[in-house]
Amino acid sequence: MIIVMEQNADEKNVGRVIESIEAHGLKSHIYRGTERTVIGVIGDTVGTGVNGFRSMPGVENVVPILKPFKIASRKYMPEGSVVKVGNVEIGGNEVVVMAGPCAIESDEQLLTIAKSVKNSGAKILRGSAFKPRTSPYEFQGLGEEGLKIMRKVKKETGMIVETEVMDIRDVPMVADYVDILRVGARNMQNFDLLKELGKIDKPVIIKRGMSATIRELMLAAEYIMKEGNHRVILCERGIRTFETATRSTLDVGAVPVLKQETHLPVIIDPSHAAGNRQFVGSLAKAGVAAGADGLLIEVHHQPEKALCDGPQSVTTEMFSELMPQLRAVAAAVGRVIE
Ligand code: PEP
Ligand code: MN
C-alpha cells in the first residue's frame, strides 16, 4: 500500500503515519519528491485498516497495491523518478547517452575512446573490468587494474563512469571506483548481489536477463530498492527469441511497458541486441523514439582489435555520425540530447 501525503503535510504528519505503520508491525519506505512525500508500506497490509491511515492528518490518499512490485511501481511515484549522478539526470527530459568499450583494455584504449565519445556528446563512459564471458577461455577483463584505469580516465576527462559488478564480494570495491554500478543480463536474478547493491549509495543499472520477462526485471529492481537504494535504472538489451539474424531481439515494446508500470528510468542497449555494428544505430534510434531515457552503446576506436564484442562495437567515427541523428529523433519525441 502507498500513502500519499498532502502537499502541505509537515514532518509531524509524516512521523505519525510512520509510527502507525510500525505499530501495525509493517515497514515503511519514505520517498520525498519535489511536490510531496509518499510513504510505501511494506508487509502484509490485509486487515490493517486502510481507512485508519486515510483519516490521519496530512494524508491525502491511500492506494492499495496488489502488484508484487511495490516500490518500483509507477503508483509509488506517478511523476517518474530521476536518477542524479553528478551533473547528469537520467529520467528527466534529456536522453542520456552512455558510451565506451565493452571491456577496459588499457589506459590508452579507454582514454582514446572516452575523449572521442565525450567530444561527440556522450555524458557517461561505459567500460567493464569484470567480464561475464560465455567461455572461460575468453578475455575475462582486467579486474581491479581496469577500475584503476577507469578512475584515471574519469579524472582526465571529467566523465561520469559506469561498470559491471559480477561478484557480491566486489561490491564495495567497485562502488569505490565508479559512479554507477551495472548488473549484467546474466546476473539479473542473482538475488544476493541485488540485495547487496540495495545497501550502497550509488545508482545501479540493471539489465534485463536474456530470457527474463518484463515482470521479472521489475521484481529484480524491487530487490535492490527494498534494501533502501532507490536509484535504479532499468536496461533493455535484447532477449533470446527464435531469430538469429541479430544477436538478441531488442524488445522495444519493453520501453513503454516499463515506463507505464514503473517510475524508474529505462535505457536501451542496442549493441548487445544487435551483435553487429551495422544495426546498432537503427536500434538506438528506435529506442529513443520509443521513449527511452538513455542509451548504452559500445564504441571502440579499433573494433577489429577489441578483446571483447568487437563485431558489435561501432567505431568512434560511426558514433560521432550517429549522435546528430539521435538528437533529431529525440527532438521529434519532445526530448533532448545535448
Ligand atoms: C555488457 O554490457 O558488456 C554486457 C556484458 O552486456 P549483457 O550483460 O547485456 O550481456
Ligand atoms: Mn559487451
Side-chain angles (χ1 to χ4, degrees):
M1 153 197 327
I2 284 167
I3 300 173
V4 183
M5 301 301 289
E6 285 168 359
Q7 226 160 345
N8 55 5
D10 59 21
E11 281 308 306
K12 259 194 197 155
N13 298 145
V14 174
R16 281 207 203 100
V17 171
I18 289 169
E19 268 172 33
S20 173
I21 291 168
E22 284 166 6
H24 281 94
L26 301 164
K27 276 190 178 172
S28 58
H29 245 287
I30 310 185
Y31 179 79
R32 291 176 208 281
T34 43
E35 302 261 303
R36 62 185 75 234
T37 298
V38 172
I39 305 168
V41 183
I42 296 155
D44 187 0
T45 54
V46 176
T48 52
V50 172
N51 290 330
F53 288 115
R54 192 164 276 143
S55 59
M56 290 184 77
V59 171
E60 183 177 284
N61 199 10
V62 176
V63 188
I65 293 196
L66 301 172
K67 291 180 178 172
F69 52 96
K70 300 179 185 221
I71 316 169
S73 166
R74 190 91 197 173
K75 281 194 186 170
Y76 192 70
M77 217 185 137
E79 72 268 32
S81 56
V82 174
V83 173
K84 290 194 180 118
V85 215
N87 57 355
V88 174
E89 289 189 355
I90 306 155
N93 195 44
E94 186 182 353
V95 178
V96 178
V97 179
M98 314 177 192
C102 176
I104 300 165
E105 298 168 10
S106 67
D107 288 83
E108 189 253 331
Q109 174 245 20
L110 193 64
L111 186 60
T112 306
I113 298 169
K115 280 183 178 165
S116 176
V117 296
K118 184 185 178 190
N119 197 34
S120 300
K123 290 279 175 74
I124 298 177
L125 175 68
R126 68 147 284 148
S128 302
F130 297 97
K131 290 304 313 166
R133 303 307 297 275
T134 300
S135 161
Y137 302 109
E138 289 172 322
F139 177 59
Q140 302 286 308
L142 295 180
E144 190 170 359
E145 204 45 51
L147 298 177
K148 286 184 181 156
I149 294 174
M150 192 161 233
R151 185 163 62 188
K152 239 200 271 175
V153 172
K154 174 183 164 67
K155 257 196 194 157
E156 239 173 294
T157 60
M159 287 183 90
I160 290 163
V161 296
E162 73 83 66
T163 201
E164 175 161 356
V165 60
M166 285 172 59
D167 190 318
I168 183 171
R169 292 167 296 188
D170 293 336
V171 170
M173 189 255 290
V174 176
D176 213 38
Y177 281 102
V178 301
D179 304 298
I180 305 173
L181 285 79
R182 170 171 23 100
V183 178
R186 290 155 189 82
N187 265 321
M188 189 203 83
Q189 286 190 316
N190 181 339
F191 298 120
D192 287 334
L193 177 62
L194 302 181
K195 284 186 210 162
E196 199 62 19
L197 290 167
K199 293 178 192 144
I200 63 167
D201 189 19
K202 293 258 162 114
V204 176
I205 294 174
I206 178 156
K207 292 183 119 185
R208 181 179 180 181
M210 54 189 89
S211 300
T213 63
I214 292 173
R215 184 174 175 278
E216 285 163 344
L217 172 60
M218 293 190 289
L219 285 168
E222 191 79 19
Y223 263 95
I224 301 172
M225 300 178 86
K226 185 169 179 284
E227 299 301 319
N229 185 357
H230 288 196
R231 293 202 287 165
V232 176
I233 299 157
L234 305 172
C235 179
E236 161 61 38
R237 47 78 75 210
I239 49 174
R240 276 211 170 149
T241 67
F242 53 81
E243 185 53 74
T244 54
T246 47
R247 183 175 176 185
S248 285
T249 301
L250 185 71
D251 182 7
V252 183
V255 179
V257 173
L258 288 167
K259 295 296 289 182
Q260 177 174 284
E261 296 293 320
T262 82
H263 56 82
L264 300 172
V266 178
I267 66 169
I268 285 279
D269 170 352
S271 307
H272 291 84
N276 177 336
R277 75 177 67 89
Q278 299 309 330
F279 307 140
V280 170
S282 300
L283 299 189
K285 285 179 267 187
V288 175
D293 299 299
L295 294 167
L296 185 67
I297 304 179
E298 287 187 343
V299 182
H300 203 289
H301 64 313
Q302 293 172 319
E304 66 291 345
K305 290 190 188 155
L307 297 180
C308 185
D309 286 347
Q312 70 194 34
S313 300
V314 293
T315 61
T316 43
E317 292 78 18
M318 285 169 86
F319 182 72
S320 80
E321 281 165 23
L322 175 61
M323 284 298 285
Q325 297 178 35
L326 293 172
R327 286 190 186 100
V329 177
V333 293
R335 307 285 293 268
V336 286
I337 295 178
E338 284 170 12

